[in-house]
């Protein structure tokens, strides 16, 4: 949804109706997660995807139909063993889609949500998917305000409280309520989609590898900052334009920077005068991933210095060093691919070839993914 919102915002601002399909539920080996979206707008223009191509043709027709009749629909697609040519998912999973028409009259807060996401402002969009409340009714919830409504004051109050909780976690999913927001009932189903600001990737040491790692970070949806204490190296020339460049001693910059459980920290300097104070700071603060480049000999020396600096074994166990997966990588670009072990850690993947594993290709997520 984050990827297609700029286009949807333009359609909405122009007053052009469009059909929006959002994945609100998945099971087994579904190709996309809740929140994935596809929209059909003016002149049958299509943006986004809900299944990677399996059911997009059917969703295209549904989106056109809801715009024509003004009624939202809930549709489920799965694999059909009885009819291999039926419209469904070839991967064997199942997805449930809310397909709804969007106009300023039907969703007065949509434009504000699109603008907030583009500005990096946290917001949760709550949409009714089923029950006595109007399907497709929406409520936008910020930390300090709300817009729109779901049709009942009690329901709005209950959903607002839950939406702010989900926003703090960066979580997306379905919640159930009574008609007036009762907690112990499940008559009304509401999809809460959180748009937390993109997670951060902090890269320390602007060497050739930093440029490649920064490009990978941008590609994966991180807000990337590259920091180096040496002005001659800390330039934007070799970095992707989306990356921020900071000239500062790494440990000082990190000490003044907020991190959270989604933050990725990559230390590429492999120089003790930078590494030891930087990693001492990093290993004592929230982060999803802390990796340091260097040989195994460099790692052993670094670990010894960190112990001398007072770090405990529990703190040192958080360090991924040498950084990256065992791909036999040599070039900066190959090393940057190996650093994509952050993806394996996020989703609980093993990093092994899929041909050597068994079970679902997309197992249940170990926790809510706040990067999407």
């Amino acid at each position: 949804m984050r990827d297609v919102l700029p286009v949807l915002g333009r359609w909405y601002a122009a007053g052009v109706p469009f059909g929006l399909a959002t994945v609100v539920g998945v099971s087994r080996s579904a190709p996309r997660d809740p929140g994935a979206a596809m929209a059909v707008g003016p002149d049958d223009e299509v943006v986004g995807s809900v299944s990677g191509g399996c059911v997009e043709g059917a969703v295209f027709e549904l989106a056109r139909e809801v715009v024509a009749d003004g009624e939202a629909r809930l549709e489920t697609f799965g694999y059909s063993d009885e009819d291999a040519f039926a419209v469904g998912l070839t991967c064997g999973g199942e997805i449930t889609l809310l397909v709804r028409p969007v106009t300023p009259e039907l969703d007065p807060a949509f434009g504000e949500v699109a603008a907030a996401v583009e500005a990096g402002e946290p917001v949760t969009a709550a949409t009714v998917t089923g029950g006595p409340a109007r399907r497709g009714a929406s409520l936008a919830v910020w930390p300090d305000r709300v817009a729109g409504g779901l049709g009942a004051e009690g329901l709005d109050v209950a959903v607002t409280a839950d939406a702010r909780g989900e926003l703090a976690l960066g979580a997306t999913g379905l919640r159930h309520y009574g008609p007036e927001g009762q907690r112990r009932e499940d008559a009304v189903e509401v999809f809460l989609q959180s748009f937390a600001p993109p997670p951060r990737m902090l890269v320390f040491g602007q060497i050739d590898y930093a440029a490649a790692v920064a490009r990978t970070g941008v590609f994966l949806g991180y807000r990337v900052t590259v920091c180096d204490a040496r002005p001659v190296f800390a330039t934007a020339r070799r970095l992707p334009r989306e990356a921020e460049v900071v000239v500062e001693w790494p440990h000082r910059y990190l000490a003044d920077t907020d991190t959270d459980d989604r933050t990725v920290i990559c230390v590429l300097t492999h120089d003790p005068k930078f590494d030891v104070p930087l990693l001492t700071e990093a290993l004592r603060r929230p982060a999803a991933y802390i990796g340091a480049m260097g040989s195994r000999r460099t790692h052993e020396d670094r670990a010894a210095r960190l112990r001398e600096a007072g770090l405990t074994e529990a703190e040192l166990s958080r360090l991924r060093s040498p950084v990256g997966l065992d791909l036999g990588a040599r070039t900066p670009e190959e090393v940057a691919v190996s650093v994509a072990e952050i993806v394996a850690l996020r989703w609980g993947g093993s990093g092994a070839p899929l041909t050597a594993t068994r079970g679902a290709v997309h197992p249940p997520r170990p926790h809510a993914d706040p990067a999407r």
Side-chain angles (χ1 to χ4, degrees):
M1 177 68 86
R2 189 185 296 274
D3 294 337
V4 302
L5 269 175
V7 175
L8 306 190
R10 291 195 294 272
W11 291 347
Y12 184 89
V16 178
F18 58 89
L20 175 61
T22 305
V23 177
V24 297
V26 301
S27 67
R28 300 190 300 276
S29 185
R32 302 298 300 274
D33 285 321
M38 168 182 160
V40 179
D43 300 321
D44 289 339
E45 181 180 354
V46 178
V47 294
S49 172
V50 291
S51 75
C54 297
V55 302
E56 269 68 6
V59 176
F60 174 81
E61 296 299 336
L62 281 170
R64 296 179 67 191
E65 290 172 12
V66 300
V67 170
D69 61 27
E71 297 293 330
R73 302 187 190 182
L74 197 67
E75 297 285 345
T76 297
F77 295 91
Y79 181 76
S80 172
D81 290 321
E82 293 75 24
D83 183 0
F85 295 98
V87 174
L89 302 177
T90 58
C91 63
E94 184 175 279
I95 59 173
T96 299
L97 306 176
L98 174 67
V99 189
R100 64 186 180 104
V102 178
T103 66
E105 293 74 29
L106 292 172
D107 190 344
F110 188 90
E112 293 182 71
V113 171
V117 174
E118 186 173 3
E121 183 182 358
V123 61
T124 294
T127 310
V128 174
T129 62
R134 179 178 66 84
R135 179 174 287 155
S138 60
L139 174 71
V141 180
W142 288 264
D144 58 351
R145 63 189 176 95
V146 299
L150 305 180
E153 182 179 355
L155 183 59
D156 285 352
V157 170
V159 170
T160 295
D162 288 345
R164 286 179 175 148
E166 298 292 83
L167 187 57
L169 297 172
T172 286
L174 289 167
R175 289 293 189 100
H176 296 85
Y177 306 89
E180 293 296 328
Q182 298 93 330
R183 297 288 184 177
R184 296 180 179 270
E185 298 184 26
D186 58 2
V188 181
E189 187 176 68
V190 180
F191 182 63
L192 303 180
Q193 185 169 11
S194 296
F195 295 96
R200 298 199 66 182
M201 174 183 280
L202 306 176
V203 181
F204 295 97
Q206 190 168 338
I207 58 177
D208 286 344
Y209 293 91
V213 171
R215 286 194 293 271
T216 299
V218 169
F219 179 75
L220 292 175
Y222 288 87
R223 175 189 163 199
V224 177
T225 299
V226 179
C227 175
D228 199 301
R230 302 161 295 183
V232 68
F233 292 109
T235 68
R237 187 174 62 254
R238 292 178 297 173
L239 298 175
R241 60 180 176 81
E242 298 90 346
E244 175 189 25
V245 181
V246 173
V247 181
E248 178 59 280
W249 276 81
H251 70 284
R252 293 175 185 165
Y253 174 73
L254 184 58
D256 291 333
T257 300
D258 291 332
T259 63
D260 58 27
D261 291 337
R262 305 180 303 155
T263 304
V264 167
I265 299 174
C266 296
V267 179
L268 310 181
T269 48
H270 51 278
D271 182 332
K273 69 176 177 289
F274 294 117
D275 290 1
V276 173
L278 171 59
L279 288 170
T280 299
E281 175 69 31
L283 293 169
R284 289 173 171 167
R285 59 168 47 234
Y289 176 92
I290 303 169
M293 177 176 280
S295 67
R296 298 195 187 279
R297 178 178 298 177
T298 298
H299 167 70
E300 293 300 328
D301 176 72
R302 181 191 290 132
R305 292 172 184 268
L306 289 169
R307 289 187 183 95
E308 291 174 2
L311 268 75
T312 66
E313 294 303 317
E315 290 168 336
L316 284 172
S317 69
R318 300 179 62 205
L319 180 61
R320 312 288 292 195
S321 174
V323 70
L325 298 171
D326 179 14
L327 303 181
R330 296 291 189 274
T331 68
E333 289 73 22
E334 290 172 345
V335 170
V337 171
S338 80
V339 174
E341 74 171 317
I342 58 178
V343 177
L345 289 177
R346 179 194 298 172
W347 299 108
S350 67
L354 287 173
T355 53
T357 64
R358 296 291 182 269
V361 172
H362 302 104
R365 61 175 68 188
H367 52 73
D369 175 27
R372 302 289 175 197

